[in-house]
Amino acid sequence: MTALTLSTAGAATLRADALVVGVAKSGKELIVAPGAEAVDKAFEGRLAAVLETLGASGAEGEATKLPAPAGLKVPVVLAVGLGGAPADGEAFGTETLRRAAGTAARALFGTKKAAFALPVAEAEAVSAVAEGALLGAYAFTAYQEVGKDAKRPLAEVALLGAKPRDKAHKAAAERAQAVAEEINRARDLINTPPNDLTPAAFAATVQTAGKEHGLKVQVLDEKALAKGGYGGILGVGAGSENPPRLVRVAYTHPKAEKTLALVGKGITYDSGGISLKPAGHNETMKCDMSGAAAVFSTVVAAARLGLEANVTGWLALAENMPSGSATRPGDVLRMYSGKTVEVLNTDAEGRLVLADALTRASEENPDAIVDVATLTGAMMMALGSRTFGIMANDDEFRSTIHEIAEEVGEASWPMPLPADLRKGMDSPTADIANMGERMGGGLVAGLFLQEFVGEGIAWAHLDIAGPAYHEGAPYGYTPKGGTGSSVRTLVRLAERAAEGEL
Ligand code: BES
Ligand code: MN
Ligand code: ZN
């Protein structure tokens, strides 16, 4: 884990292994961003000129390393691009800063201590730079024996220019650290291979963390699920040697006025089941528990931040495998709600486990329910691989979540639940089928889920199939593999609940 400190030392006096500065474009000119004045001075005011000579343009994502001049107590200066400079009197955008700090942290793998001299006048900038640095300094090396050292992330991040004695700055840094560490917790879970992260192993991890953070954890194993009539979760888990679990993990605050329920899809591996996925579509399906990971991380974050709200997480954990005991296309499942579902495609399994968890979560009558799931390839078709879709039974709630996501720097877009798509799921045998029209498949899945939400409860569904797992080259603070998508949005939503707004 990377340590974070706010330092009052000047950029020219702090000892570190590298010093990070920001550069931006102002018209055709390259300028050094505020916060690095002392560094520029050590370059005799020529830092921008030197960087230009080296080919730097100030573009976002750009990182340029150069040797430090005498007068600085670091061997290396790293300049990261911030894109276009903001208009006079305006600050750099928080997501720009978050990404730049992430780019810097990634460029400094193998370095021990880095000082960040980025523009952090406002508390929200402190928070963004801290988050970006800690998220960028993430590596998943648990399964690598060779070449570990080169991949060692930054051990220490010192933020210069932030004021450790300023209450708002200090709080921003502490919050950023808790949130970033919980996002990294989700990433670790997502990246853990499915032979090790079975439903039972995931549940055990929640129990351990629950003890550490004072959470109440209840685990329903396959026997308890059978006794309770959880036909959806059991049906999906039926083909696997690794039986399913439903985990309830609750954070409560004595002064809480609102209760937020979060439901996560936790398919530890999605082979498709009897409707087996073809090669080329199953290599990354360990990521299919990303929703459950995000929910779990958010509950722990709520506890670490001591929010005055109740946040209950429901993790619907199962492994979707083909075998002689697996659910077949054509089988009918009796769900926890009592409804029956004809399974036409065993690869549409997420909605089955979520349906049971949504009904169960509704029984506690929370003020709102949000489910998070890597639910459909169709949502990736619609929105690409960096944006999650938001569906809801309440327009205002959907807008609120969209606004929150924007505020915390997560790309998302509101999607409709068109009633005409419901008839595609009509089944001649059961109350509903688990598949409908192919067109608008992400919305069809949302409509299916909606039927399992308790009457009168505000509900939203986040389909994170695109952004949950990043297959391309790392960028900004986003690594290859699990991203921790939606945690920042959910934490902010929990904070709003603590403010009485839900
Ligand atoms: N886990 C997948 C969705 C997915 C696809 C997530 C790609 C991340 C990346 C889900 O269980 C699934 O297989 N959905 C099917 C539903 C269809 C059979 C109705 C899909 O999207 O093809
Ligand atoms: Mn599937
Ligand atoms: Zn799935």
Side-chain angles (χ1 to χ4, degrees), residues 220-231 233-234 244-246:
L220 299 190
D221 63 10
E222 67 273 29
K223 275 191 200 140
L225 289 168
K227 207 171 161 209
Y230 292 85
I233 296 174
L234 285 168
R245 297 285 184 267
L246 177 63

Side-chain angles (χ1 to χ4, degrees), residues 252-317:
T252 54
H253 191 285
K255 287 200 206 141
E257 281 173 10
K258 301 279 184 188
T259 298
L260 174 65
L262 303 173
V263 175
K265 171 176 174 181
I267 301 299
T268 58
Y269 184 71
D270 182 11
S271 72
I274 298 293
S275 314
L276 194 63
K277 285 181 188 294
H281 291 263
N282 53 20
E283 294 82 354
T284 59
M285 277 304 135
K286 67 174 181 181
C287 81
D288 217 16
M289 35 54 70
S290 296
V295 165
F296 171 40
S297 289
T298 302
V299 177
V300 179
R304 288 179 61 170
L305 299 172
L307 301 185
E308 287 189 16
N310 299 328
V311 185
T312 312
W314 298 91
L315 318 183
L317 309 176

Side-chain angles (χ1 to χ4, degrees), residues 299-484:
V299 177
V300 179
R304 288 179 61 170
L305 299 172
L307 301 185
E308 287 189 16
N310 299 328
V311 185
T312 312
W314 298 91
L315 318 183
L317 309 176
E319 187 180 40
N320 188 20
M321 295 291 270
S323 79
S325 60
T327 294
R328 315 153 187 78
D331 280 356
V332 172
L333 303 176
R334 190 170 296 277
M335 308 294 280
Y336 182 70
S337 76
K339 271 202 180 112
T340 56
V341 177
E342 183 178 15
V343 178
L344 293 180
N345 189 322
T346 62
D347 199 12
E349 83 298 340
R351 63 199 73 182
L352 298 172
V353 298
L354 287 171
D356 278 357
L358 284 168
T359 309
R360 178 64 189 86
S362 297
E363 284 177 356
E364 299 186 356
N365 214 17
D367 294 288
I369 304 181
V370 179
D371 78 69
V372 193
T374 47
L375 205 60
T376 66
M379 196 53 60
M380 300 178 75
M381 288 288 178
L383 297 177
S385 45
R386 293 189 184 181
T387 303
F388 62 80
I390 312 169
M391 283 143 273
N393 62 2
D394 179 309
D395 288 350
E396 203 182 310
F397 193 39
R398 188 185 54 221
S399 302
T400 298
I401 293 181
H402 180 49
E403 280 160 25
I404 286 175
E406 192 103 306
E407 182 188 321
V408 300
E410 292 199 299
S412 71
W413 204 252
M415 300 295 274
L417 291 170
D420 65 282
L421 290 174
R422 170 61 181 84
K423 63 181 181 307
M425 291 185 284
D426 283 350
S427 158
T429 316
D431 297 329
I432 189 170
N434 78 330
M435 243 185 72
E437 291 176 34
R438 198 171 72 86
M439 296 295 175
L443 321 180
V444 172
L447 281 166
F448 181 94
L449 296 179
Q450 184 171 17
E451 304 220 352
F452 295 87
V453 177
E455 203 69 37
I457 302 176
W459 158 79
H461 158 55
L462 314 185
D463 190 337
I464 61 168
Y469 198 81
H470 181 57
E471 291 189 66
Y475 65 95
Y477 52 82
T478 305
K480 256 188 185 311
T483 62

Side-chain angles (χ1 to χ4, degrees), residues 156-233:
E156 201 181 329
V157 168
L159 295 196
L160 308 182
K163 305 177 201 80
R165 274 179 288 276
D166 177 315
K167 258 195 185 157
H169 279 205
K170 198 164 163 271
E174 280 171 6
R175 178 189 182 279
Q177 183 159 21
V179 173
E181 283 174 6
E182 290 315 314
I183 291 172
N184 287 339
R185 178 202 299 275
R187 290 170 169 182
D188 277 347
L189 284 164
I190 297 163
N191 291 330
T192 300
N195 54 334
D196 281 345
L197 193 79
T198 58
F202 196 152
T205 303
V206 177
Q207 268 164 331
T208 307
K211 271 198 197 108
E212 189 186 336
H213 295 283
L215 306 171
K216 187 168 178 209
V217 181
Q218 291 158 295
V219 178
L220 299 190
D221 63 10
E222 67 273 29
K223 275 191 200 140
L225 289 168
K227 207 171 161 209
Y230 292 85
I233 296 174

